[in-house]
Amino acid sequence: MMQKEEGTVIGAVPLVAFQAAFRAQGPLAMLEHFDTIYSILHHFRSIDPDLKEDTLEFLIKVVSRHSQELPAILDDTTLSGSDRNAHLNALKMNCYALIRLLESFETSQTNLVDLDLGGKGKKARTKAAHGFDWEEERQPILQLLTQLLQLDIRHLWNHSIIEEEFVSLVTGCCYRLLENPTISHQKNRSTREAITHLLGVALTRYNHMLSATVKIIQMLQHFEHLAPVLVAAVSLWATDYGMKSIVGEIVREIGQKCPQELSRDPSGTKGFAAFLTELAERVPAILMSSMCILLDHLDGENYMMRNAVLAAMAEMVLQVLNGDQLEAASWPWAIAHPHLPFLQTASLLHHQGQADREPGGKAVSAVPHSPVCCPP
C-alpha cells in the first residue's frame, strides 16, 4: 500500500474488492468499480510494480471474459434495453481501462530507454521497473482487442452505429505504439503484426479509412522510422484485407502536397519518398492505378520526390509490365508525360533482360515505335 498526494491511499485492497465482484457479477462489475481502476491509472507512476502487474493481468481477464460472453448476448433477441446499455457501458469502461493501462506501461517503458541503471540492459531495466518483460505482454493485449472488434458489437449501440470515440480509443493506442522508435526492431515483429491486424479490422468493419489516411500522412511526416513499418501494414491491408482503396487515398494526399510545403518539411518529404519507393516494391500493380496523381512531383524541385516517383515507375516496369503491356495504352500516367526519357531507359533495360534469358542471348527490339518508349 502506497501513500499518495493529498492523503489518498491506493493499494491492493480496492482491487481485491473488484476481483471479488467480478467473480460474482462477471464483466459488469466494472460498472461499480471503475473508480478503482481510474485511480490506479492516475497514480500509475508511483504505485507498486506488483499492483501494476496484478491490475493488467486482471483487466485482461475481464475483457477476455466479456469477449467470450458477448456473442450469446448479442444473439439474445429478448435482451432488454437496460441490459444492452449495461453491457455497452461495461464494454466501453473495460476497453478504456485496458487501453489506458497499456499506454501507461508503454510510456513508462519508453522512458526507461534513455536511463542507465547500473549498466543493466534495457530488458533488465524493464523487469526491474514493471516486474515483468513488457515487450512480451503487448501482443496478447492487441490480439484480445482484435478479437473483440471482430464481434458484431455495433448492435449494442443505438441504430447499430458505433461511436467514433470508441473506434478512436482502440485505434489510437495502435498509433501511439507505432511512435516508439523500437517498434521497427526485429524483436517487435509480433507487436507490429498485431497492430496491423487490429487496424485492418477497424478499416474493414468500422469505417476507419479516412482517419487512417490522415494519421498515416501525419506519422510519415514526424517519425522517420515508420516508412517501412507503414508500407508493410498498407500492403497487407490492400492484399489480405481487400482494402486497395487505401493506397489510392494515401497517394492522393501525397500527390496534393505543394512544392513549397515539401521544401519547408524535408523530414516529411523524406518519409513520403521512402514510403512510395518501398510501397512500389511491395504492391506495384495496386500503386500503378494511382501513379497519375504523383506526376506533378516530376516537375517539382524536390529531388527526393522525383527520385521516388521514378523508382516507383521502375518497379512497375520490372514487376508488372512486360511485352505488349509496355505499349502506351497500358500506361495512362506515362501518356500524361510522354517525354520522360526514364521510360525509354526502363523499357530498354526490361527487354534487354528478357533477351538475355533467351537461347543465344540475341537482343529483342525494345518496341522502337511505341510513343511511350520513343516520344516524338
Side-chain angles (χ1 to χ4, degrees):
M1 187 173 292
M2 306 275 294
Q3 187 70 28
K4 304 300 173 194
E5 55 196 0
E6 299 179 358
T8 302
V9 177
I10 300 297
V13 174
L15 184 62
V16 169
F18 187 1
Q19 292 169 329
F22 173 70
R23 287 191 292 271
Q25 305 172 34
L28 295 183
M30 177 63 84
L31 298 174
E32 298 178 1
H33 293 268
F34 181 76
D35 288 350
T36 298
I37 301 301
Y38 188 84
S39 184
I40 290 173
L41 291 170
H42 182 70
H43 299 290
F44 184 83
R45 291 184 179 181
S46 51
I47 63 176
D48 187 79
D50 289 341
L51 179 56
K52 296 178 184 179
E53 183 178 1
D54 290 345
T55 304
L56 178 64
E57 184 179 327
F58 176 59
L59 284 179
I60 291 174
K61 184 182 297 184
V62 172
V63 176
S64 179
R65 172 87 168 272
H66 209 183
S67 177
Q68 294 168 6
E69 293 180 356
L70 275 174
I73 294 169
L74 293 168
D75 289 339
D76 186 0
T77 56
T78 64
L79 187 70
S80 67
S82 59
D83 287 342
R84 178 179 60 82
N85 286 332
H87 281 284
L88 173 59
N89 291 330
L91 174 67
K92 292 179 183 178
M93 291 180 180
N94 290 332
C95 288
Y96 176 89
L98 181 59
I99 289 170
R100 291 293 180 248
L101 191 59
L102 180 155
E103 292 174 347
S104 296
F105 273 107
E106 182 69 13
T107 300
S108 177
Q109 189 263 353
T110 302
N111 291 339
L112 290 173
V113 172
D114 296 326
L115 296 179
D116 184 12
L117 303 179
K120 295 180 179 179
K122 186 177 73 172
K123 191 168 184 177
R125 294 198 301 270
T126 302
K127 287 187 176 180
H130 299 321
F132 63 99
D133 185 5
W134 168 240
E135 291 178 348
E136 296 178 358
E137 299 292 330
R138 291 180 300 200
Q139 180 192 4
I141 298 173
L142 294 167
Q143 290 176 330
L144 175 57
L145 292 171
T146 302
Q147 177 184 337
L148 190 64
L149 289 190
Q150 287 174 326
L151 301 177
D152 210 8
I153 58 175
R154 69 179 185 274
H155 293 307
L156 293 176
W157 276 264
N158 289 328
H159 308 297
S160 297
I161 300 176
I162 294 182
E163 298 166 357
E164 177 61 28
E165 291 80 1
F166 179 80
V167 179
S168 297
L169 169 69
V170 179
T171 58
C173 79
C174 295
Y175 297 123
R176 278 184 280 275
L177 289 174
L178 289 174
E179 292 174 5
N180 186 338
T182 66
I183 196 68
S184 59
H185 296 177
Q186 177 61 28
K187 64 181 179 180
N188 289 322
R189 179 179 178 180
S190 60
T191 299
R192 292 196 305 272
E193 292 176 347
I195 291 172
T196 300
H197 287 297
L198 177 51
L199 291 174
V201 172
L203 283 166
T204 55
R205 297 177 65 93
Y206 298 98
N207 196 28
H208 187 57
M209 175 79 74
L210 177 60
S211 298
T213 301
V214 171
K215 193 63 181 179
I216 287 171
I217 293 296
Q218 292 174 345
M219 298 184 82
L220 286 172
Q221 290 177 294
H222 295 103
F223 299 98
E224 185 175 342
H225 68 280
L226 278 184
V229 174
L230 292 175
V231 165
V234 172
S235 300
L236 185 74
W237 299 334
T239 54
D240 291 17
Y241 283 85
M243 299 296 293
K244 295 181 181 180
S245 55
I246 194 169
V247 173
E249 293 297 323
I250 296 171
V251 170
R252 182 177 294 106
E253 290 295 322
I254 296 176
Q256 291 175 348
K257 296 292 181 182
C258 65
Q260 293 80 7
E261 184 177 355
L262 295 174
S263 298
R264 291 192 301 266
D265 183 19
S267 176
T269 303
K270 183 178 180 181
F272 295 147
F275 178 83
L276 290 174
T277 301
E278 296 192 36
L279 189 66
E281 295 174 0
R282 291 253 192 164
V283 287
I286 297 175
L287 180 59
M288 189 164 64
S289 61
S290 301
M291 281 303 298
C292 58
I293 303 171
L294 299 170
L295 293 182
D296 285 346
H297 289 306
L298 292 174
D299 297 325
E301 297 180 359
N302 193 285
Y303 74 93
M304 286 188 289
M305 289 302 297
R306 288 201 307 270
N307 289 346
V309 175
L310 291 174
M313 290 179 175
E315 290 298 331
M316 293 165 196
V317 171
L318 296 173
Q319 295 192 48
V320 182
L321 302 172
N322 56 74
D324 293 339
Q325 290 180 338
L326 282 170
E327 298 291 340
S330 299
W331 293 55
W333 39 270
I335 296 173
H337 265 262
H339 59 283
L340 286 180
F342 163 79
L343 294 176
Q344 181 182 23
T345 303
S347 298
L348 287 169
L349 289 174
H350 173 78
H351 281 276
Q352 185 59 52
Q354 293 292 103
D356 289 343
R357 287 190 289 273
E358 291 188 356
K362 185 178 179 181
V364 178
S365 169
V367 198
H369 300 295
S370 168
V372 173
C373 296
C374 300

